[in-house]
Amino acid sequence: MADKLLITSSPHIRAAKTVRGIMLDVVIALVPASVAAVVFFGIKALSVLAASTISAVLAEYLYEKAVRRPVTVGDFSAAVTGLLLGLTLPPAVPLYVPVVGSVFAIVVAKQVFGGLGTNFVNPALAGRAFVLAAWPLHMTSAWLNPLTMDAATGATPLHAFKGGQAAGSLVDLLIGNRLGSLGETSAIAIILGGAYLLMRGVIDYRIPVAYLGTLGFGVFIFGKPGALFQGDPLRGILLGGALLGAFFMATDYVTSPVTPRGRTYMGIGAGLITLLIRYWGDYPEGVTYAILLMNLATPLIDKFVVPKYYGYAHDALARRKAKEGGR
Amino acid sequence: MNKRSLIGEFTKGLIEENATFKMAIGLCPTLAVTTSLVNGFWMGVAVVFVLTFSNVFVSILRKVTPDQIRIPVFVILIATPVVIVELVMKAYLPAMYQILGIFVSLIVVNCIVIARAEAFAYKNSLLRSAFDGLGIGAGFMIDLMLIGAVREFLGTGTITVGSVVLPPKPLFEPMSVMLTPPGGFITLGVLMTVLNIVFQRAAAKKAKTVS
Amino acid sequence: MVKAKRGSGGVAVPDKKELSGRMPIEDAGIPAELTLFLSQHIGAPSKPLVNAGDEVKRGQKIAEAQGAVSACLHAPTSGKVKAIEPRYQPVLGRVVDAIVIVPDGEHALYEGVAPVGDDLQAISQEKVREVVRESGLVGLGGAAFPTAVKLEHPPGKKIDTYLLNGVECEPYLTADQKLMEESAAGVVFGFRALMKGAGVEKGIICIEDNKPDAIKAMEEASKPYPELEVAVLSHRYPRGGEKQLIEAVLGREVPPPPGLPLDVGVIVSNVGTAYALATALKTGLPLVERIVSVTGEGVARPANLRALIGTPVSYLIDRVGGFSSSPGKVILGGPMMGVSIRDTEVSIVKGTSGVLVLPREAVETEPVLPCIRCGKCVEACPIRLLPVWIAAYAENDFMEDAEKMRAMDCIECGACSYVCPSRRPLTQSIRLAKAHIAAKRRAAAKK
């Protein structure tokens, strides 16, 4: 009988949002930053982004075919990873950099650990860390001057900023008229995308707010060499990849804590590590490693940061019982 | 258990009981010295020599070795060929000895060698033990050379054997990360995955045709 | 007006009340057969007072309460007892004994049914409690917990507030809404009687802001009584859950099971219960009928029916014009917590607030994907549990860990499953864990 009634456990209706829908939202949120990158860095930017995205999707497809798992490129998560990776690269890198980075991100950082949902670090950042270790020269010098698109010499504004010098006007920083990786130049475009994700309820405001707040406050305290409490928090946040990291990388579901309080801790921790690397490390930027390290701390945060269950707040006996229960 | 021919004792070490990719033992030198094909080769040679002779010694003395103190006995029996290898290398291959350094001495405690002594040579005849040592050692050598070749090629863009450099000029920008420990882990993991998939599929195919 | 807080967790669910929200309450009529389960809800089954072949009349008691958590049963109409036999009880999900009545169509009232009075001053607290007991009154919101047990609370507990639950946060259902709109005075009378029976001085009527007409009617009806207030809550599921309501309106948290609202000085009853008590006091008629929303995209003419307890679901669906398309699911209750049934020949119980029919295309099951740890279930959980872990533990048979994560505190509201973008059956997995833990505890208690 074809028209038998279906029996399932309640609830019988589901929210409209699916994994695919969420990933599509992230892609949409990345459109402003990608467009800004193409506007400032031209065809070079477009080719880098295309190479990283296409090779990420292809890598996922081929890997899943090779190990005979169901193909999941339809959930757009590989496309998101590839696009994010592309946005963290300097504009003038040779095209094999995004390709190798994407393949590493998808195969080694994601699929080997079981695919979407079981990877332990953010695949895009793992890919970036890999190409950074593989071709450090490309990754720290392949800059282009915005708009004119000729090869730029000299340090990025972040280098100058670390030395305590002024680093361009705020307007230039906001629009993106400066040296930098594809996705980190235009602050407005990233904030636009982040706002879209917040509005759609895709990401939790806690991680970006805690991260950028910690970072800004730390820059204010330590930002000026030789003097405390005279740093420039705004430039500290706008320079480098902090914005992109805060809105798109640190908020990656799989590698961030599930509890609201845990997410706050994740943001604060990433902010502190970024500060450590920026001011006490050799390296001008620490967003990648800060977030990767907090990814590794996520299971720990999840284990120890649990919400106060309903009904345990007022009753001392119940509180004790809950404690005896194990946590 | 002892149904294998002597040739079988040798060949099992190449794939079936491959030290690195199947049993995942003796990984410290695997990761530490495999920055090039040549390094892998000489380390492999050292292990083949040590393993064969330690197996032979253990097998000869297996009936007179008391169970309770067998591990110390093994260590002494293994240390002998290790010292020989070390001195020979120092004399004739000083440059290679500089690179492999401590890892040659450390073959004494290499778990492949101890594992073969304990699991095989202690229970088997001299000839079998010798072939087993040769086979496992050869498999290990191939593994080291394979990992070394991959890392050297990706990390420097070329593979250098003596005065031969292939390809003569790097085809791409070398990835320096492959020469670092993380590169070693990544190469090992990827190769292990790929080879195991290949072996499994081959075994499955074989099982199918047999049945 | 009481200002309500946001409360913990919860999800935004579609309203869907427009389907049946404008339809006035109409009588469902008398079906060819009524099935009255002796177990209408959890607790001890009631004991039949009639035998097969007996003639019964409308309002006549046919089964007596037994044990602490139990309520008596009455014949909804006049007719003949056909049999007392085991039948499938859809809400409990097992076969229980039921009294089957074949109506004679005369709908003759039982001689013992007599009004108590409509002046609350003249009715003693003891009398109210007796009427509640004798009318077989249970919570009509869904769980059908015997009301008498709530009113006759242990003397040590100080109860300061009585909440009347007209939230009806489940999508689709409009039974409580229509009752408040059409019979506000009766509901308020019943509520005051409940307060008298429980000896509570202060009463708050709680309604969600998506029912403006009901709010207006209830404010109007409660105006003369200074002890009553109306609290308007924002629309968010599961606001109407007892614990969530207490948290939102009073800012108190009920201790975890076996904690009860009594422990924080509160009693909660459904508007339907209040109205049933009003009917019992004014006319003497016990709980023999209730308002049932027969709704959903799968029925031809969604409606609110006044149906006799024990009416078969198929009869109710026929009354609203039958299925509009190929039915996919028939659900007793709302879409979030209701029970799907495989056979429309089963009968409604006292706690059935709605019959929801979803068309086939609306119930296509989507593939279950791996958890992406988005944490939406954590945000949604009104008990602030971590459904993601409890479900994962349950799926992998780590029941002790699930217990440590307070699986037993789960109220099974379904919010976590609802929001899950990977479509994981979280609520179902947690139920599994609860069943396991409960069985383990029973075994331990036996030892």
Side-chain angles (χ1 to χ4, degrees):
Chain A
M1 205 167 112
D3 52 345
K4 262 191 181 154
L5 293 178
L6 197 68
I7 307 270
T8 61
S9 188
S10 66
H12 304 287
I13 51 174
R14 295 299 190 106
K17 196 161 274 176
T18 59
V19 172
R20 191 188 152 100
I22 287 171
M23 294 297 168
L24 259 180
D25 270 347
V26 179
V27 173
I28 293 170
L30 285 171
V31 165
S34 310
V35 169
V38 175
V39 167
F40 285 114
F41 302 115
I43 193 80
K44 268 271 182 198
L46 192 63
S47 55
V48 168
L49 293 180
S52 66
T53 311
I54 292 170
S55 49
V57 174
L58 217 59
E60 175 140 309
Y61 177 82
L62 291 176
Y63 180 87
E64 284 172 338
K65 275 280 167 210
V67 300
R68 295 171 195 173
R69 284 209 200 123
V71 172
T72 59
V73 290
D75 65 15
F76 286 102
S77 63
V80 168
T81 297
L83 192 55
L84 274 174
L85 173 71
L87 288 171
T88 65
L89 300 176
V93 289
L95 283 186
Y96 57 76
V97 174
V99 171
V100 171
S102 282
V103 171
F104 184 86
I106 293 298
V107 174
V108 178
K110 181 182 168 192
Q111 287 296 347
V112 163
F113 290 94
L116 182 66
T118 43
N119 49 298
F120 71 108
V121 290
N122 185 323
L125 286 181
R128 176 183 152 82
F130 181 77
V131 290
L132 188 61
W135 297 289
L137 208 63
H138 282 322
M139 290 296 288
T140 50
S141 66
W143 311 115
L144 287 182
N145 279 321
L147 298 175
T148 58
M149 295 167 208
D150 46 1
T153 50
T156 61
L158 197 64
H159 276 96
F161 186 70
K162 192 179 178 184
Q165 299 151 23
S169 77
L170 275 181
V171 176
D172 278 348
L173 290 180
L174 279 174
I175 298 172
N177 187 19
R178 53 146 164 168
L179 298 187
S181 296
L182 290 174
E184 66 185 36
T185 50
S186 176
I188 286 183
I190 297 168
I191 293 170
L192 216 63
Y196 174 78
L197 288 185
L198 284 171
M199 197 188 74
R200 297 273 298 168
V202 173
I203 60 172
D204 190 343
Y205 70 91
R206 289 178 183 86
I207 293 179
V209 167
Y211 184 13
L212 297 176
T214 309
L215 183 62
F217 191 63
V219 170
F220 170 63
I221 297 177
F222 303 111
K224 197 165 167 133
L228 290 181
F229 297 104
Q230 288 179 25
D232 180 350
L234 211 51
R235 282 193 174 78
I237 291 171
L238 292 179
L239 286 168
L243 275 180
L244 188 70
F247 283 113
F248 292 98
M249 304 289 194
T251 53
D252 171 33
Y253 288 147
V254 182
T255 53
S256 63
V258 293
T259 61
R261 210 148 43 92
R263 288 173 177 170
T264 309
Y265 295 160
M266 159 117 188
I268 293 173
L272 289 177
I273 298 175
T274 308
L275 281 171
L276 272 178
I277 298 176
R278 271 199 194 173
Y279 292 111
W280 285 277
D282 250 359
Y283 204 61
E285 180 59 300
V287 174
T288 305
Y289 297 118
I291 295 173
L292 282 176
L293 284 172
M294 288 316 287
N295 287 165
L296 300 182
T298 292
L300 214 59
I301 297 176
D302 267 342
K303 188 169 166 66
F304 289 109
V305 182
V306 278
K308 286 193 183 69
Y309 304 133
Y310 177 102
Y312 290 86
H314 306 293
D315 187 3
L317 184 83
R319 244 198 330 268
R320 207 171 62 231
K321 248 190 187 158
K323 224 180 204 162
E324 280 162 9
R327 279 169 195 256
Chain B
M1 189 187 153
N2 285 334
K3 286 280 157 63
R4 281 199 185 91
S5 65
L6 286 179
I7 301 298
E9 297 293 4
F10 176 79
T11 52
K12 72 166 192 269
L14 300 183
I15 291 178
E16 206 179 319
E17 291 185 21
N18 188 298
T20 305
F21 296 123
K22 269 289 163 69
M23 302 199 285
I25 53 176
L27 293 181
C28 318
T30 312
L31 292 166
V33 304
T34 54
T35 48
S36 72
L37 176 67
V38 177
N39 291 359
F41 172 73
W42 283 112
M43 184 71 195
V45 169
V47 171
V48 170
F49 179 83
V50 173
L51 191 53
T52 311
F53 280 92
S54 71
N55 263 10
V56 168
F57 297 154
V58 168
S59 180
I60 292 171
L61 296 178
R62 71 181 191 277
K63 299 233 165 86
V64 294
T65 310
D67 241 13
Q68 293 85 341
I69 57 158
R70 65 184 193 283
I71 298 292
V73 170
F74 292 166
V75 173
I76 293 167
L77 294 178
I78 297 165
T80 316
V82 169
V83 173
I84 297 171
V85 167
E86 209 178 340
L87 293 176
V88 170
M89 263 197 165
K90 226 177 195 168
Y92 296 99
L93 292 163
M96 190 48 64
Y97 184 75
Q98 282 294 312
I99 296 169
L100 299 181
I102 185 90
F103 289 100
V104 176
S105 328
L106 281 179
I107 297 176
V108 177
V109 286
N110 189 314
C111 44
I112 299 177
V113 184
I114 294 197
R116 290 329 287 180
E118 164 81 10
F120 195 90
Y122 194 53
K123 298 169 190 155
N124 284 290
S125 68
L126 190 153
L127 216 51
R128 275 185 190 281
S129 299
F131 274 89
D132 175 75
L134 270 177
I136 299 280
F140 187 62
M141 188 169 87
I142 294 170
D143 301 341
L144 292 188
M145 285 164 66
L146 189 60
I147 297 171
V150 170
R151 286 178 70 185
E152 186 180 2
F153 182 66
L154 293 175
T156 64
T158 59
I159 293 180
T160 312
V161 181
S163 57
V164 185
V165 179
L166 272 175
K169 258 176 68 179
L171 300 171
F172 55 91
E173 191 87 9
M175 306 197 270
S176 46
V177 67
M178 297 313 290
L179 298 180
T180 62
F185 276 108
I186 291 164
T187 313
L188 177 67
V190 171
L191 279 177
M192 197 182 273
T193 315
V194 171
L195 290 177
N196 276 313
I197 290 175
V198 171
F199 293 160
Q200 271 171 23
R201 299 240 166 111
K205 215 171 202 175
K206 208 169 166 188
K208 224 177 202 171
T209 47
V210 166
S211 68
Chain C
M1 211 158 76
V2 177
K3 193 116 182 73
K5 289 181 242 355
R6 188 177 175 278
S8 304
V11 288
V13 290
D15 201 27
K16 302 280 192 181
K17 306 224 186 232
E18 64 279 2
L19 285 176
S20 57
R22 283 165 200 275
M23 308 303 290
I25 297 170
E26 46 188 306
D27 270 316
I30 305 164
E33 190 180 280
L34 292 170
T35 309
L36 292 124
F37 300 106
L38 293 172
S39 296
Q40 293 274 325
H41 40 78
I42 55 158
S46 46
K47 194 173 120 213
L49 300 173
V50 291
N51 292 311
D54 287 1
E55 295 281 343
V56 292
K57 283 186 173 165
R58 178 169 160 86
Q60 180 183 346
K61 193 194 274 187
I62 53 172
E64 183 62 85
Q66 247 186 1
V69 182
S70 186
C72 48
L73 267 180
H74 301 81
T77 184
S78 58
K80 197 172 186 177
V81 176
K82 181 178 150 199
I84 299 175
E85 60 182 25
R87 293 226 172 164
Y88 182 72
Q89 213 276 32
V91 177
L92 294 176
R94 56 189 161 90
V95 173
V96 302
D97 281 335
I99 300 174
V100 182
I101 296 174
V102 177
D104 56 16
E106 282 172 22
H107 216 43
L109 206 59
Y110 182 57
E111 300 76 21
V113 172
V116 179
D118 48 14
D119 180 13
L120 274 180
Q121 301 293 332
I123 306 171
S124 70
Q125 179 184 27
E126 208 23 69
K127 183 71 193 167
V128 173
R129 290 182 174 188
E130 190 197 314
V131 170
V132 167
R133 251 191 330 266
E134 287 303 307
S135 308
L137 228 57
V138 299
L140 295 186
F145 192 76
T147 308
V149 181
K150 290 186 192 175
L151 296 192
E152 294 159 25
H153 51 86
K157 304 259 186 198
K158 174 86 189 79
I159 307 296
D160 55 31
T161 314
Y162 207 127
L163 297 183
L164 188 66
N165 189 347
V167 174
E168 205 167 46
C169 57
E170 279 263 13
Y172 290 98
L173 302 186
T174 53
D176 292 351
Q177 173 190 342
K178 293 316 287 183
L179 191 63
M180 289 189 286
E181 287 172 12
E182 294 186 12
S183 315
V187 172
V188 167
F189 178 81
F191 185 31
R192 288 171 54 234
L194 282 172
M195 286 165 62
K196 176 143 196 179
V200 180
E201 302 294 322
K202 190 176 154 207
I204 303 177
I205 302 161
C206 313
I207 312 172
E208 272 190 352
D209 59 7
N210 59 352
K211 298 181 253 301
D213 291 347
I215 295 171
K216 217 160 81 195
M218 291 306 285
E219 272 179 343
E220 203 72 24
S222 62
K223 212 170 255 167
Y225 310 105
E227 71 271 27
L228 298 186
E229 281 184 282
V230 175
V232 178
L233 300 102
S234 57
H235 177 50
R236 195 167 178 83
Y237 181 84
R239 185 58 44 75
E242 205 168 65
K243 292 181 166 186
Q244 284 61 50
L245 195 61
I246 294 169
E247 184 193 11
V249 175
L250 300 170
R252 301 177 198 170
E253 291 188 8
V254 180
L260 291 171
L262 292 178
D263 296 326
V264 289
V266 187
I267 303 178
V268 185
S269 281
N270 180 267
V271 290
T273 315
Y275 185 74
L277 176 57
T279 310
L281 288 170
K282 284 179 176 171
T283 67
L285 192 67
L287 178 60
V288 292
E289 56 192 19
R290 65 156 301 147
I291 317 295
V292 179
S293 298
V294 184
T295 180
E297 287 86 354
V299 293
R301 190 176 56 83
N304 300 294
L305 300 179
R306 180 175 283 111
L308 303 177
I309 308 293
T311 304
V313 170
S314 56
Y315 175 83
L316 294 175
I317 293 172
D318 285 343
R319 284 287 300 183
V320 298
F323 298 119
S324 61
S325 59
S326 172
K329 256 186 204 175
V330 177
I331 298 157
L332 295 188
M336 296 298 286
M337 288 186 78
V339 180
S340 60
I341 55 175
R342 62 182 167 195
D343 175 3
T344 55
E345 290 312 310
V346 299
S347 300
I348 63 165
V349 294
K350 289 177 179 175
T352 306
S353 47
V355 172
L356 174 63
V357 181
L358 297 178
R360 185 146 293 272
E361 60 272 16
V363 298
E364 289 301 328
T365 42
E366 292 163 278
V368 174
L369 301 173
C371 169
I372 58 167
R373 294 171 36 89
C374 64
K376 292 202 183 300
C377 52
V378 178
E379 285 161 33
C381 182
I383 306 293
R384 301 193 294 268
L385 301 173
L386 296 168
V388 49
W389 297 136
I390 302 176
Y393 284 137
E395 283 159 20
N396 293 294
D397 207 18
F398 289 114
M399 296 303 177
E400 261 129 55
D401 293 285
E403 190 175 359
K404 279 182 194 161
M405 301 293 283
R406 316 303 304 169
M408 292 310 271
D409 291 13
C410 171
I411 56 166
E412 302 181 23
C413 66
C416 48
S417 290
Y418 175 80
V419 292
C420 182
S422 291
R423 303 293 187 243
R424 300 192 72 74
L426 295 160
T427 315
Q428 193 178 350
S429 300
I430 298 172
R431 271 195 201 112
L432 182 75
K434 285 177 76 172
H436 260 266
I437 296 164
K440 198 187 80 186
R441 287 185 182 171
R442 271 199 304 276
K446 241 175 221 166
K447 262 180 210 159

